[in-house]
Amino acid sequence: MTDSLLSQQVLDRLGRLERANLRYRLALAAAGLLAFGWAACSVGPQAKNVLSAERFVLVGADGSEKATLELDSKGNPMLQMRNGQSSAFLTTNGPSLLLRGPDGKTGAFMGIDSKNSSRLELCSHRLLDGVRLSAHADGSSGAYVLDVNGRERGGLESFASGGAALNFRDGQGGMRGQMGLDEAGLPNLILLDGGGGRRVGMVVQEDGNALLEVADERGQPRLQLTTLFDGSPRLECKSPDGSVVFQAP
């Protein structure tokens, strides 16, 4: 009876050992499969049809270069395309994009300069006149119109300080008129003479009353028209030294 009991205990122990060995073998097999899969992925086939070169050229039927892709002297990739006088130039040196029309002159430019300001420029065949848009890193921005001589004639600007202005310039580039909002949000209008002197000014003041001022050639106020706290009008005429010579009421 005792021998039978001992034999059964030995058999049970052997069974447990076999089951434990089976689990170990399964775990090792799974680890082997994972290792094989990782190795297969790491040494798997690379992307096909990869072509590398220092310069790529697209040639037309006549043998002329239609497009080139290469690196400039600083290592920036650049793409040039042309068909007759029409052309397109794209580079990361900026980066920037330059387009030219069939006449080889009419064009458009878009890019970012070294000061991190972005610009968009459109020009006619004269290359000077056109429209310029710009946005600066400090938050200011503007849209400008250029005449046939390349001078700015009008501009709409938004300032980083919070103000905004619509500017008008003469043929020499001098400021002749400005309408806008100052940093406090007060609207104003200024008209200047050929020398840049302020001749007429209008503003809505902080108290809500309007003020119209007319100045002489020296910029000295000579006439002021405003409204008082109760809404009644007030007119003042001044001498060249600033003293009041007439007042109504």
Side-chain angles (χ1 to χ4, degrees), residues 190-194 196-201 213-219:
I190 301 175
L191 303 180
L192 303 97
D193 59 24
R198 186 178 65 179
R199 304 305 297 268
V200 179
E213 183 177 86
V214 179
D216 59 20
E217 67 279 0
R218 297 182 296 112

Side-chain angles (χ1 to χ4, degrees), residues 177-223:
Q178 183 183 74
M179 179 174 61
L181 299 172
D182 63 15
E183 297 180 7
L186 301 178
N188 57 79
L189 171 65
I190 301 175
L191 303 180
L192 303 97
D193 59 24
R198 186 178 65 179
R199 304 305 297 268
V200 179
M202 298 175 61
V203 63
V204 177
Q205 304 174 91
E206 293 184 1
D207 59 6
N209 292 309
L211 172 66
L212 169 64
E213 183 177 86
V214 179
D216 59 20
E217 67 279 0
R218 297 182 296 112
Q220 182 67 34
R222 300 297 300 273
L223 182 148

Side-chain angles (χ1 to χ4, degrees), residues 14-133:
L14 289 175
R16 288 194 298 271
L17 290 174
E18 289 180 357
R19 289 192 295 271
N21 288 334
L22 179 60
R23 288 196 297 269
Y24 293 148
R25 288 196 297 271
L26 290 175
L28 290 174
L33 287 174
L34 289 175
F36 177 78
W38 177 82
C41 291
S42 63
V43 298
Q46 302 298 317
K48 298 180 179 179
N49 301 323
V50 175
L51 182 63
S52 60
E54 294 183 354
R55 188 171 189 264
F56 293 93
V57 180
L58 183 63
V59 181
D62 58 354
S64 61
E65 293 186 357
K66 293 293 185 180
T68 59
L69 176 62
E70 57 188 320
L71 301 178
D72 63 16
S73 58
K74 296 182 180 180
N76 295 292
M78 57 181 183
L79 173 64
Q80 300 183 66
M81 296 178 290
R82 49 193 166 272
N83 184 23
Q85 294 296 316
S86 300
S87 64
F89 179 80
L90 175 65
T91 178
T92 59
N93 186 15
S96 59
L97 171 66
L98 176 63
L99 306 176
R100 293 296 185 199
D103 59 0
K105 296 180 179 180
T106 303
F109 171 84
M110 179 173 64
I112 302 174
D113 62 22
S114 59
K115 297 181 180 180
N116 207 30
S117 296
S118 56
R119 294 187 294 128
L120 172 63
E121 300 181 2
L122 308 176
C123 69
S124 73
H125 65 280
R126 287 181 291 268
L127 300 178
L128 297 175
D129 56 334
V131 178
R132 178 188 301 138
L133 306 177

